[in-house]
Amino acid sequence: MTKSPQAFRSISEAAEEVGVPQHVLRFWEGKLDFIQPVKRAGGRRFYRPEDILILKDVRRLLHDEGMTIKGVERLFKDKSVRSGKASASAQALDKPDTVPPSINSLHLARVLEQIEAAQARLNAVLA
């Protein structure tokens, strides 16, 4: 039986979906304060769909683009400061009584942020 796209994922399911071992997710959680899975009794971690998108972005930045942990941390912090508000996933966490945006809109928002970051890097190089 497959889970709904909106269902929470255990750490093993999240690790498989992101493509990294479980201990890497725990490490990132300790180093990057914007990774905050829900913790149930006994300390079990459960990841929301928004968490999975963030983890996939972190994996891409660290493994594919060669960024450092500090660089990823700065990038996410700069996004929050630059926009004057928290990310869409952080806003959903702050308002648990609201329905979180669909995965498609979160994905599109993430793509837009990546394009804006790429544009800023290009402008910095060209300046």
Side-chain angles (χ1 to χ4, degrees), residues 32-96:
L32 302 168
D33 60 355
F34 56 85
I35 299 176
Q36 299 174 343
V38 173
K39 288 192 181 175
R40 301 283 187 203
R44 291 195 53 182
R45 292 165 173 84
F46 289 95
Y47 295 85
R48 297 166 290 256
E50 303 86 36
D51 296 329
I52 300 295
L53 290 175
I54 290 170
L55 291 169
K56 285 180 178 180
D57 282 345
V58 168
R59 183 195 175 284
R60 181 185 52 75
L61 291 169
L62 291 173
H63 294 256
D64 300 342
E65 295 188 20
M67 289 185 78
T68 64
I69 290 280
K70 291 266 188 215
V72 171
E73 188 175 39
R74 235 179 280 125
L75 181 67
F76 275 81
K77 183 179 177 184
D78 289 347
K79 282 185 200 177
S80 294
V81 170
R82 207 174 50 232
S83 67
K85 59 184 178 182
S87 67
S89 58
Q91 288 177 358
L93 296 177
D94 293 338
K95 301 175 191 169

